[in-house]
Amino acid sequence: MKITPLEIRQKTFEKTLRGYDKDEVNGFLLTLSQEWERSQDELKEMRVKMEASEREVAKLREVESSLFRT
């Protein structure tokens, strides 16, 4: 199940007589959503770097193969 930062920010809880402090819960959800968003951005960046590295490896393997044939 994928959860987006927006879903975390928009999450609501039912009110009860002796429930949690609303401001504390909202603050935590905001912090959590920001951290989640940062993690997703970092993951995207790492995937881009990994794909570039894989392309570079493939190119170097072609060069290596060419050198062995020579």
Side-chain angles (χ1 to χ4, degrees), residues 3 6-30 32-33:
I3 298 175
L6 182 60
E7 289 173 327
I8 294 171
R9 287 185 192 109
Q10 293 177 342
K11 176 66 180 160
T12 57
F13 298 91
E14 290 185 33
K15 294 180 183 177
T16 63
L17 183 60
R18 292 182 173 243
Y20 293 106
D21 181 297
K22 183 179 177 183
D23 292 334
E24 188 176 354
V25 170
N26 288 337
F28 177 76
L29 289 174
L30 179 61
L32 179 63
S33 69

Side-chain angles (χ1 to χ4, degrees), residues 47-60:
R47 284 183 175 153
V48 167
K49 287 180 180 180
M50 183 182 74
E51 289 170 0
S53 295
E54 287 173 344
R55 285 192 299 274
E56 184 67 23
V57 166
K59 187 191 314 181
L60 291 173

Side-chain angles (χ1 to χ4, degrees), residues 36-66:
W36 188 261
E37 190 169 24
R38 187 195 63 75
S39 294
Q40 285 183 327
D41 291 343
E42 186 178 312
L43 179 61
K44 287 177 189 175
E45 183 181 324
M46 292 295 159
R47 284 183 175 153
V48 167
K49 287 180 180 180
M50 183 182 74
E51 289 170 0
S53 295
E54 287 173 344
R55 285 192 299 274
E56 184 67 23
V57 166
K59 187 191 314 181
L60 291 173
R61 284 191 175 142
E62 278 184 32
V63 169
E64 180 184 41
S65 176
S66 175

